[in-house]
Amino acid sequence: MKGLLRKEFYTMQSQLRSWILVVGVMSLYSVFMKSNSFLYMLIFVISLMSALSAFSNDQYNHWDGYALALPLNRRDVVKGRYLFVLSCMAFSSSACLLISLFINLGIQEMELQEMLYSFYFVVIADLLYLAISLPILYQFGVEKGRYVIMATFIGIFLLVYLVIRFPQSDAIQSVEGWIEGHFVLLEAAATVLTAGFLYLSYRLSVCIYEKKEF
């Protein structure tokens, strides 16, 4: 498994340097603009770009066919890809959290607890984003997969928008009131459900990858 992770980082070493530069530039921009929004967007961008680049490099170098000749099973290859993408997300999330704390302490734009809540739900949303995107990339490849991912999330955003714009009934307002009173429980449930969804995503990717021929 260490070898698979090293392979991912070695093949994308030049791009990782570019991402570090992008994080630095966006961090300075966020400090000057006194806003965390750009940093949160950066978490999503790096997560998806790391996945797309990894799949694209493997396809260009015919890695999958070579990997099957090694003492590796397909499950290990998929696991290595997931760990790599999650590692990139952990790097970008940690950097963005530290910079957000710096911005928050410097300008006191929002309460620390509110900022941490926002960051938490951004991370949860990004994990769900990856959980949906990775099986799509395994199924359709990079070229078709990016369009399928785009169409999928446009549909999700439209659905969320329609729900928000829908006239609120007493039932919806009561649900909102319950959520405000049980926020810690909601966080715990979101964490467990996201972890479960990510595991199902991994299992689905394994099933897709095991059926492919190279």
Side-chain angles (χ1 to χ4, degrees), residues 21 26 39 74 90 110 158 196 198:
L21 179 61
M26 292 297 290
L39 294 172
R74 299 196 180 204
M110 62 177 68
L158 286 176
L198 194 60

Side-chain angles (χ1 to χ4, degrees), residues 138-158:
Y138 272 111
Q139 177 65 39
F140 297 100
V142 178
E143 296 301 323
K144 294 181 180 179
R146 67 181 68 192
Y147 296 110
V148 176
I149 292 171
M150 186 182 301
T152 300
F153 283 98
I154 288 175
I156 293 174
F157 290 144
L158 286 176

Side-chain angles (χ1 to χ4, degrees), residues 25-67:
V25 172
M26 292 297 290
S27 300
L28 290 175
Y29 188 72
S30 298
V31 171
F32 288 130
M33 294 299 294
K34 299 180 180 180
S35 173
N36 296 329
S37 312
F38 301 100
L39 294 172
Y40 294 158
M41 178 183 66
L42 193 61
I43 297 176
F44 282 89
V45 171
I46 290 181
S47 298
L48 184 59
M49 288 305 298
S50 64
L52 288 174
S53 298
F55 278 93
S56 180
N57 286 336
D58 283 358
Q59 182 178 345
Y60 178 79
N61 295 301
H62 306 287
W63 157 254
D64 296 292
Y66 173 74

Side-chain angles (χ1 to χ4, degrees), residues 7-8 54-55 58 77-85 138:
K7 167 259 175 186
E8 298 283 8
F55 278 93
D58 283 358
V77 176
V78 175
K79 187 183 297 183
R81 176 59 44 80
Y82 269 72
L83 289 176
F84 169 71
V85 175
Y138 272 111

